[in-house]
Amino acid sequence: MSPRVRMAVLAAGLLGLAALLGAAFLQLPAFGGSFHPYGRHAVEAALGRHTSNTVASVNFDQRAFDTLGEQAILFGATLGTVVILRTARDEHRVEPQAAPVPAPVRRYALAVLPLTLLTGLYVVAHGQVSPGGGFQGGVVAATALHLLYIAIDYRALRRVRSVALFTLADAAGEAGYLLVGLGALLSGAAFLRNVLPYGTTGTLASGGTVPLLNAAVGVEVAAAVVVLLAQFLDQAIVIESADGSQDQGHTPQGGASGRTSEGRTPQGQKSAPGSEGGRR
């Protein structure tokens, strides 16, 4: 296919999309009016399935298939990061050096760590009842773990953070979401259809499959954030130029464990092993 034909196909597709969007915009309710059919239907559907949080009902019930795609994007991004930043054969690890942490910072971080973790779990567990959910609570829970990095150092974080375990948890969260959808198929309903009893409105057991999907997302998001930060904190590269001077790449505050490699760069520079210190 020639470039001219490809541009013609692209132009035809864009024109068709613009026509569809224009027709859809013309049917939207007037701005600032009191008629909101989409919101009204969403609230009615949420309350009809005993889900107090309408946003959670939309995410994990009314358009649960779309949320599966969003979850898969994060899973794919995490998988790609692990593959790209994996340790190569010509790389070796440089252990970080311990650095002093001010006593007030240490005390505050250690004090709020369990509170932050509890808050994250609470937000995930009550996603169908109150504002929050798996996406928000998962990030909060992962942040709690990294308070060890602020309070002590990277080595303390690494002792309690098994990357392999969190990688499995990331995959388990993604698989759990799919299994709930497959369970609906086995019951004779559509994929990801809410087939469980709705329970009592305002309780943790309400919403049918909403809390299950919400929990699966919470596990996947928390584990993915931990794995991503583990990969990023583990990077440190020292570039040695041709004249022998070193240009040390920027590393995150706190001095993560570095990985250095040797090899020629396209500009003729040589990547040389280097040490990477503690908190900077």
Side-chain angles (χ1 to χ4, degrees), residues 3 14 36 65 74 99 118 134 140 161 179 193 198 225 231 265 272:
L14 291 177
H36 305 286
F65 190 80
L74 177 59
L118 182 62
V140 175
R161 182 212 61 198
L179 289 177
R193 185 175 180 83
Y198 298 149
V225 172
Q231 297 298 320
T265 64

Side-chain angles (χ1 to χ4, degrees), residues 39-261:
R40 178 171 57 82
H41 290 314
V43 171
E44 290 177 354
L47 296 180
R49 294 170 183 174
H50 300 183
T51 305
S52 303
N53 185 0
T54 303
V55 175
S57 176
V58 172
N59 288 337
F60 303 113
D61 189 356
Q62 302 175 39
R63 63 174 194 90
F65 190 80
D66 295 342
T67 303
L68 174 62
E70 298 171 5
Q71 186 187 25
I73 291 174
L74 177 59
F75 180 77
T78 305
L79 179 62
T81 301
V82 171
V83 172
I84 293 174
L85 298 182
R86 69 188 186 279
T87 304
R89 295 179 179 178
D90 60 342
E91 292 180 326
H92 66 275
R93 294 182 179 273
V94 179
E95 291 299 322
Q97 301 297 321
V101 179
V105 175
R106 180 187 297 270
R107 288 194 298 267
Y108 177 78
L110 293 178
V112 300
L113 190 155
L115 296 177
T116 306
L117 180 59
L118 182 62
T119 300
L121 297 178
Y122 178 91
V123 171
V124 174
H126 292 76
Q128 73 278 10
V129 178
S130 59
F135 288 103
Q136 301 89 333
V139 175
V140 175
T143 302
L145 184 64
H146 288 82
L147 287 174
L148 281 175
Y149 177 50
I150 298 175
I152 306 177
D153 59 16
Y154 182 73
R155 293 176 297 179
L157 169 63
R158 193 171 56 185
R159 281 194 294 267
V160 301
R161 182 212 61 198
S162 173
V163 177
L165 180 61
F166 279 98
T167 303
L168 291 176
D170 186 16
E174 182 73 18
Y177 201 103
L178 291 171
L179 289 177
V180 174
L182 292 177
L185 288 177
L186 293 177
S187 68
F191 182 67
L192 288 174
R193 185 175 180 83
N194 196 337
V195 295
L196 294 180
Y198 298 149
T200 303
T201 304
T203 64
L204 294 181
S206 61
T209 58
V210 171
L212 297 179
L213 297 177
N214 185 51
V217 168
V219 171
E220 199 271 335
V221 170
V225 172
V226 171
V227 173
L228 286 173
L229 289 178
Q231 297 298 320
F232 294 145
L233 290 174
D234 207 34
Q235 299 302 308
I237 300 177
V238 178
I239 303 299
E240 184 177 355
S241 61
D243 60 0
S245 62
Q246 290 188 350
D247 179 18
Q248 184 165 347
H250 177 72
T251 57
Q253 183 180 5
S257 173
R259 295 211 301 253
T260 59
S261 61

